[in-house]
Amino acid sequence: MSARSDVIIIGGGIIGCWTAWHLTNAGCAVTLVERDRIGSGASSGNCGYICPSHVHPLCAPGAVANGIRMMARTGGALSITPRWDPTLWRWLACFAKHCNANDFRHASTARHALLQSSRTQYQTFADRNAADIKWQQRGLLLVYRSERDFEAYEEPAAQLRRDFGLRLDRYDGDDVLQLEPTLRESLAGGWHFPDDAHLSPSELLNQLRHEIEQGGGMIREQTEIESMQFSGAALASVTTTRGETLSADAFVLATGAEASKWGRELGCRIPVIPGKGYSVTYADATGMPETPLIFEDDHVAVTPLGDSFRIGSTMQLTGFDRSVPAARIELLKRSARRHLRVELPDATEQSWAGWRPMMPDGLPCIGPSRRAANAWVAAGNGMIGVATGPATGQLVSELVRGGPPHIDPSPYRVDRFQRSQ
C-alpha cells in the first residue's frame, strides 16, 4: 500500500501534534505517524504547566556542583544509573561545557521567545476550549522549606523581572497560605508567577487530535517507521512496519528523546537523551491544592487537574528504561506529605514514567536536516515541551512552507552540534 501527503510528521507527542495542527490550519495535507498512540511518550503524564517562568535552562553556572549534591542525597531528585554508556558521558561533558554565563543567557533568551509565543497562542486556544482542556490561570508557586534557598532566589527573581519582564511576587513564611491554604505552616516562603497557567496534557492532546482530524489531517497510530528512502538530496518516502510506503513533499521528525536514531539517517547529530520523569495521578482531588506548586527543595511539582490531582517531576538518567519503580513514586508522595497539611487522597492512583528529550544546552533542535532539503527536525524541548509546543509547531510550519518565521530560528539550528566535542 502507498499513500501521499503534503507533509508527513513522524512522532505523535505534543510537538508533533502542534506541528500537525499548524500545518493543517495552513491548508496542508498532513499525515501524523505514531508508533504507539498519540501522547504515549512524555506528553501525557507530565504536569501540564504553561510556564513563561521556566526561562532558565538547567545548564546554569554551578549546575554541575548542584547536580552532584542532589545525587549525593538519598532519594534525591536527580539520579544517574551507573553503567557503560559513552553516549551519556558525552552528553554530560557537553552539558558541563554549556554551564557558563554566556551560554546560560543565550539559552534563556531563546527559551523566552518560545515560551512567550506559546503562552499567547495557548490563551487564544483556551478562549475556545478552556473546559475541554481543563485550562486554569492560577499562576505557579515555588515553595521553599529552606530559608537560605528562598532568600537566594531574590537575585534570579530580579533578573527575570529586569531581562524578561516577568511578573513574580514574594511571599514570606506563612504568607504563602494566602495563596494555597493546604500548605503546611512554618515554610520559608514562596515565589509566585501569576502569569503562568496549567492544563490537562491528555485533554489537550485529545483536543488537538480532534481539530487536526477535523481539518483533514490523517493520524496513523500503531504505525512505526522502518526505513527511509532518499532520492538525491530529498527524502522521498518512508516505509512502515505495516508494509506501507508513505511519500510526501516534506517530512518532519518529531520523535522526542529518540530523535537521534532517525536524525543520523538525515545527516544530523542530535545529542538528545531521555531524562526520565515520573508522576502519580489521583482520581479524587477533593481538598487538594488548587494552585500549581513546585517544592523547590525536592524539585517535585503538584498540579490540580479538575477532578484529579497529579504529583510529578524528578529526573533519572537511566537510558531508555520504561519501568516505574515504586521507590520513585514514593519519593513524590513523601515530598507532598512534607509540604501539605492535608492527607493525600485515598483513591485510585495511576503511576507513570516518561522520557523527557533533554538537550545539553537547554534548547531544542528546530530546523532543516543536512541530508534532505525537504526534511525538518523538531525535537529536544526538554522539560518545557508542553509549554513551548505551539511556538515550536508554528516555527516548523513556517520553515516547511517557506514563510517568514515569527521568531528567530537561529538559536535552535540543528547543525549547531555538528563540530562540537
Side-chain angles (χ1 to χ4, degrees):
M1 175 183 173
S2 63
R4 184 167 188 84
S5 306
D6 291 340
V7 186
I8 289 174
I9 299 168
I10 304 170
I14 196 68
I15 301 302
C17 285
W18 270 116
T19 300
W21 186 89
H22 276 287
L23 285 165
T24 299
N25 284 346
C28 296
V30 174
T31 298
L32 180 61
V33 181
E34 165 57 41
R35 74 174 179 191
D36 194 342
R37 55 182 176 79
I38 296 298
S40 59
S43 296
S44 61
N46 65 74
C47 286
Y49 291 164
I50 311 305
C51 46
S53 60
H54 282 39
V55 166
H56 289 156
L58 294 180
C59 53
V64 173
N66 289 335
I68 292 172
R69 281 194 291 270
M70 278 194 284
M71 286 190 293
R73 290 171 50 193
T74 302
L78 173 67
S79 67
I80 300 177
T81 304
R83 63 190 186 280
W84 173 260
D85 189 345
T87 297
L88 173 62
W89 300 344
R90 286 193 296 268
W91 189 95
L92 290 170
C94 189
F95 174 83
K97 185 186 74 172
H98 286 287
C99 291
N100 63 76
N102 287 337
D103 287 348
F104 181 73
R105 282 192 296 269
H106 170 75
S108 296
T109 301
R111 286 162 65 96
H112 177 67
L114 289 171
L115 287 163
Q116 286 298 122
S117 170
S118 293
R119 179 63 177 87
T120 300
Q121 293 187 50
Y122 269 120
Q123 189 63 62
T124 301
F125 193 79
D127 287 344
R128 303 192 311 272
N129 304 300
D132 292 326
I133 63 175
K134 297 190 169 113
W135 173 263
Q136 296 185 60
Q137 300 182 79
R138 297 184 62 90
L140 175 64
L141 179 62
L142 311 184
V143 180
Y144 290 84
R145 295 172 69 235
S146 164
E147 187 73 33
R148 183 190 64 183
D149 292 344
F150 172 62
E151 293 294 342
Y153 198 74
E154 185 72 58
E155 183 177 344
Q159 189 263 335
L160 289 170
R161 292 189 187 103
R162 181 185 67 246
D163 294 349
F164 302 107
L166 297 185
R167 291 198 302 152
L168 67 164
D169 302 308
R170 172 175 171 147
Y171 289 80
D172 290 87
D174 288 345
D175 288 348
V176 294
L177 302 182
Q178 300 171 20
L179 279 176
E180 185 45 66
T182 63
L183 288 167
R184 290 188 179 276
E185 296 178 340
S186 302
L187 294 167
W191 291 90
H192 184 240
F193 292 85
D195 295 323
D196 281 18
H198 69 284
L199 48 71
S200 165
S202 58
E203 299 299 329
L204 169 64
L205 288 160
N206 288 341
Q207 186 63 31
L208 287 172
R209 175 178 191 149
H210 170 70
E211 296 192 13
I212 291 165
E213 292 180 328
Q214 193 175 50
M218 181 177 295
I219 294 178
R220 292 174 178 263
E221 293 180 302
Q222 305 295 327
T223 302
E224 187 169 1
I225 301 301
E226 191 171 59
S227 62
M228 293 180 171
Q229 293 77 47
F230 294 86
S231 176
L235 177 56
S237 62
V238 294
T239 58
T240 75
T241 49
R242 292 187 171 196
E244 303 166 308
T245 298
L246 307 178
S247 57
D249 299 319
F251 296 80
V252 178
L253 179 69
T255 51
E258 298 175 270
S260 60
K261 173 187 175 183
W262 293 114
R264 284 191 293 271
E265 290 288 311
L266 295 171
C268 303
R269 183 176 184 275
I270 307 172
V272 60
I273 64 169
K276 191 177 179 184
Y278 297 88
S279 71
V280 56
T281 304
Y282 293 90
D284 182 8
T286 304
M288 291 295 101
E290 296 184 1
T291 302
L293 309 168
I294 297 181
F295 306 137
E296 284 292 304
D297 300 71
D298 302 329
H299 298 280
V300 168
V302 162
T303 309
L305 297 172
D307 295 334
S308 62
F309 169 73
R310 179 168 292 166
I311 311 170
S313 202
T314 76
M315 176 81 73
Q316 278 193 308
L317 302 182
T318 60
F320 293 100
D321 171 23
R322 295 186 182 277
S323 65
V324 187
R328 297 305 289 187
I329 300 301
E330 183 56 35
L331 185 154
L332 300 176
K333 297 179 182 179
R334 190 183 314 134
S335 179
R337 295 186 188 108
R338 276 201 296 259
H339 291 84
L340 300 176
R341 68 173 73 192
V342 295
E343 294 293 326
L344 293 179
D346 183 16
T348 303
E349 63 181 67
Q350 180 178 359
S351 300
W352 172 92
W355 299 331
R356 305 183 189 99
M358 305 301 296
M359 296 291 292
D361 63 349
L363 293 174
C365 284
I366 307 171
S369 72
R370 287 166 59 87
R371 181 177 178 184
N374 65 332
W376 283 262
V377 173
N381 293 64
M383 301 173 73
I384 55 172
V386 171
T388 57
T392 301
Q394 182 179 349
L395 182 56
V396 174
S397 174
E398 291 159 348
L399 295 173
V400 168
R401 294 181 295 109
H406 76 291
I407 57 176
D408 179 11
S410 62
Y412 325 107
R413 69 186 192 280
V414 180
D415 66 356
R416 67 187 188 271
F417 293 101
Q418 291 300 130
R419 297 190 179 183
S420 64
Q421 298 180 291

